Structures are given as structure tokens and as C-alpha cells.
Amino acid sequence: MPQTDKQICIPPELPELLKQFTKAAIRTQPQDLIQWAADYFGAMSRGEIPPVRERSERVALSNWAELTPELLKILHSRVAGRLIIHADELAQMWKVLSLPTDLFNSVMNVGRFTEEIEWLKFLALACSSLGVTIAKTLKIVCEVLSSDHDSGPPRIPFSTFQFLYTYIAEVDGEISASHVSRMLNYIEQEV
């Protein structure tokens, strides 16, 4: 190979960029490093939050992450405000975060989702796998959806809360429509 006298210029930000990427990869432990790297740098180039697990989240011994509100918040930011998402795209996002495929399939089955998924319904059911009760599930959903950064309770529009509460109660099947209506009327009066 012929040698040239031309000096290779390394951008000064490259070492720090690679250092941050390496730390993120070690924390996240992606199953498919190449795909995760593409998603990581793609998110960075678009100014989005990359798919990185936070330090506080422990890595499961099976190489699958345990679902957390923080990972659902990352997933929600990746969906980027769309109401409908294609099942294959969501499955890929789920995989990049190293979340359990059996949990993804379970949420898909419970929600009876097909190719086109209503994102908020999927999110609500994913949150229900973390919450023992409907109240706890709704609290987690509010934390994931809220963009409030102050120390107060997470807030979402009442119409969104109403939609999610009605849907979760419907899927649960043990809460009457009249009870849901009374609760929503009470909450709306308090708001």
C-alpha cells in the first residue's frame, strides 16, 4: 500500500464521542451491538435521546433488561409523538433496548394488536406489567408521558388520562363502565 505524506486529521471531539458511546454500550449491553450502534448514532445525529440504559437500572443476568419506567420513557421518546406505530418497528425498538420478547408478545396478545399499534394503548399495557393496580399503572403512565421536570407530580392532559383509564379498565374487565364514569367525573371536578 503506497504511503502518502498527507496527515490524517482526527476531529477533536471524536475521542470524547467514542468514550461516551463505549460507556453507553457497556451500560446498555445490547444484544445486537451493530443495530444498537446505528440507532445510537442515528438518535444523536437527530438530536434525540439515544437508547441508553441509565446507571441505576440493573442489567439482568439473562442479557434482557428488566422493564422500567425509565426504559418506557426512552421508548416513548423514540416513538416521537406518533399515535400509530407499525408492529415491526416497535418490536425493533424493543429489541434495541434489550427488553424481553416474551413481554412484548404478551402485551401484543393482551392488546390484540396486529400490524398497526395504537401507541398509547400499547404503552398503557406495558405500564400495567409494572403496576399491581390500575391506580399504580396510571401513575406510571403519567410519569412516562409527563414532560414536567419540576418536583411536583407528573401531569398529562385530562383527555389523555381519560382515554387511558377507560382503556385499562376495559381490558381489566372487572371495573364497570359506570364506576369508570363516576371516577372520571370526580377527577375532572377536582382538576
Side-chain angles (χ1 to χ4, degrees):
M1 193 161 145
Q3 195 172 30
T4 63
D5 290 341
K6 205 171 192 182
Q7 191 78 347
I8 297 175
C9 291
I10 297 175
E13 63 273 5
L14 183 62
E16 182 62 25
L17 182 77
L18 291 176
K19 180 179 172 185
Q20 295 306 317
F21 167 76
T22 303
K23 286 180 176 180
I26 291 169
R27 272 197 310 268
T28 304
Q29 297 287 309
Q31 256 194 328
D32 183 344
L33 181 61
I34 304 296
Q35 180 61 52
W36 179 84
D39 292 336
Y40 177 91
F41 286 116
M44 295 289 285
S45 72
R46 292 185 302 274
E48 297 172 358
I49 299 170
V52 178
R53 187 182 355 244
E54 297 300 319
R55 286 179 208 261
S56 62
E57 300 170 38
R58 64 181 178 86
V59 176
L61 295 175
S62 66
N63 285 338
W64 289 110
E66 191 173 301
L67 186 63
T68 64
E70 293 79 18
L71 285 173
L72 285 171
K73 199 166 189 92
I74 290 170
L75 197 60
H76 180 63
S77 73
R78 302 289 317 245
V79 171
R82 291 179 282 168
L83 297 177
I84 304 291
I85 186 164
H86 196 273
D88 292 339
E89 183 182 0
L90 184 55
Q92 182 59 36
M93 289 178 187
W94 192 270
K95 181 180 177 185
V96 165
L97 291 173
S98 298
L99 294 170
T101 52
D102 59 334
L103 180 56
F104 179 83
N105 294 333
S106 176
V107 172
M108 290 292 288
N109 288 334
V110 169
R112 295 186 176 102
F113 300 117
T114 56
E115 294 301 311
E116 304 240 321
I117 299 170
E118 287 184 66
W119 168 243
L120 289 179
K121 288 182 176 182
F122 182 94
L123 179 63
L125 292 179
C127 288
S128 75
S129 73
L130 300 173
V132 177
T133 64
I134 288 181
K136 178 72 174 160
T137 296
L138 288 166
K139 182 177 185 284
I140 294 168
V141 170
C142 288
E143 290 169 3
V144 171
L145 293 176
S146 177
S147 56
D148 292 342
H149 298 292
D150 61 7
S151 60
R155 295 175 292 187
I156 62 172
F158 179 74
S159 59
T160 304
F161 180 86
Q162 182 178 18
F163 172 78
L164 294 169
Y165 178 53
T166 303
Y167 176 68
I168 293 169
E170 180 184 296
V171 170
D172 180 78
E174 294 185 17
I175 302 172
S176 70
S178 62
H179 178 78
V180 170
S181 181
R182 284 193 312 274
M183 279 300 281
L184 288 172
N185 286 334
Y186 173 78
I187 292 168
E188 189 173 28
Q189 297 301 315
E190 293 298 310
V191 172

